[in-house]
Amino acid sequence: MKTKSNDSRIQALQAGYNWKIRSFEIASIIINISLTLFFVISLKLNLIHYIWILPLSWVLADIISGLVHWFADTYGKVEWPIIGNTFIRSFLEHHIDPLSITRHDWIETNGANFFIGIPLLILMYLFEAFIPNTIIILFALTNIWTALTNQFHKWAHTPRPNQLARILQASKLVLSTETHAQHHKSPFDINYNITNGHTNIIFERFKIYRRLEKIFSILFKLNPHRNL
Ligand SMILES: [Zn+2]
Ligand SMILES: [Zn+2]
């Protein structure tokens, strides 16, 4: 919640957004799009045959968005190299000031998320000959949804989103304001999944994140803290 006492924290977090982070975001966008286009074009596939993968990738991206978001909120520290000043900083700023994301331009909103898929895109490039086309298309589509997740997240916070956002929200293809609003209520530990938010109901029903926290505590001695 944005209060007077939090203003200095917000300013300190915003000061962490420098030219290095901006360059990282721009490079992530260029590399991710280039590798994705490379696969789509070089495979010379009739993509219409793979249309059935679309809903699968849509579900998978929602789960990935939740796992990344949960991990950042629960264990993330701004001091961590690379991801600390990118993912963790923006999540922390966002929890203190939920409208901060609505003031970010397209690159600041989406740049870091384009980074998520790059390591796997590189692995796919190296081992393309051994990976079935179905898996490559599934990953390419999931990568696109994941890369654009923070745009959907931003729309869920925007008081008057544009017409495209309103259509996508109304058709339930992207995260709705109502679903995501639950995440910003105390104790701030539910509905982490933010691509379309449809898998939240399963994650909350089976308490998957609480179970993961227990597993992390046993295996890695990591105790949850909330980035609030
Ligand atoms: Zn969060
Ligand atoms: Zn949010």
Side-chain angles (χ1 to χ4, degrees):
M1 185 183 290
K2 192 174 188 295
T3 64
K4 219 171 185 180
S5 62
N6 277 328
D7 281 355
S8 57
R9 287 179 75 198
I10 294 169
Q11 281 170 6
L13 289 164
Q14 285 172 343
Y17 188 70
N18 53 36
W19 67 269
K20 288 182 191 168
I21 304 299
R22 187 81 171 171
S23 305
F24 167 81
E25 290 169 347
I26 293 170
S28 295
I29 292 167
I30 293 170
I31 293 169
N32 188 314
I33 291 175
S34 303
L35 285 170
T36 304
L37 283 176
F38 167 80
F39 279 116
V40 171
I41 294 167
S42 69
L43 286 175
K44 296 189 177 118
L45 298 172
N46 186 348
L47 291 176
I48 205 76
H49 292 153
Y50 295 88
I51 198 80
W52 60 274
I53 296 177
L54 203 54
L56 194 58
S57 67
W58 183 68
V59 171
L60 197 55
D62 200 44
I63 293 170
I64 291 170
S65 77
L67 290 170
V68 172
H69 182 184
W70 162 78
F71 186 81
D73 280 10
T74 310
Y75 304 107
K77 292 190 174 139
V78 178
E79 297 77 30
W80 286 355
I82 302 177
I83 63 168
N85 208 14
T86 50
F87 292 98
I88 313 296
R89 183 189 56 80
S90 65
F91 275 124
L92 183 52
E93 180 192 355
H94 176 61
H95 281 186
I96 301 168
D97 178 7
L99 288 180
S100 61
I101 192 173
T102 66
R103 297 189 291 274
H104 295 169
D105 67 8
W106 197 88
I107 291 172
E108 187 174 0
T109 300
N110 300 295
N113 270 30
F114 274 81
F115 176 76
I116 295 172
I118 291 176
L120 276 176
L121 281 165
I122 291 171
L123 279 176
M124 287 206 310
Y125 176 77
L126 294 174
F127 299 102
E128 185 192 339
F130 307 101
I131 304 173
N133 288 341
T134 308
I135 299 295
I136 291 179
I137 298 294
L138 172 64
F139 182 71
L141 286 169
T142 306
N143 171 55
I144 293 168
W145 286 108
T146 304
L148 294 175
T149 284
N150 232 15
Q151 187 64 48
F152 308 149
H153 179 204
K154 177 180 177 177
W155 286 340
H157 280 283
T158 306
R160 284 187 196 153
N162 61 44
Q163 197 170 9
L164 171 66
R166 291 202 302 272
I167 291 169
L168 291 172
Q169 286 175 339
S171 55
K172 310 285 185 200
L173 284 172
V174 301
L175 183 67
S176 74
T177 301
E178 298 73 31
T179 299
H180 185 54
Q182 300 301 315
H183 179 68
H184 285 275
K185 284 182 185 168
S186 181
F188 307 93
D189 61 356
I190 63 168
N191 284 17
Y192 288 101
N193 305 9
I194 53 173
T195 305
N196 50 65
H198 292 301
T199 56
N200 280 313
I201 193 163
I202 299 166
F203 272 70
E204 297 312 324
R205 170 72 181 79
F206 295 102
K207 300 187 189 314
I208 291 175
Y209 289 120
R210 300 296 84 78
R211 291 176 197 276
L212 282 174
E213 284 161 12
K214 278 185 187 154
I215 292 168
F216 270 53
S217 171
I218 293 166
L219 290 184
F220 309 116
K221 307 276 181 253
L222 275 176
N223 292 316
H225 69 77
R226 305 283 170 211
N227 273 334
L228 304 176

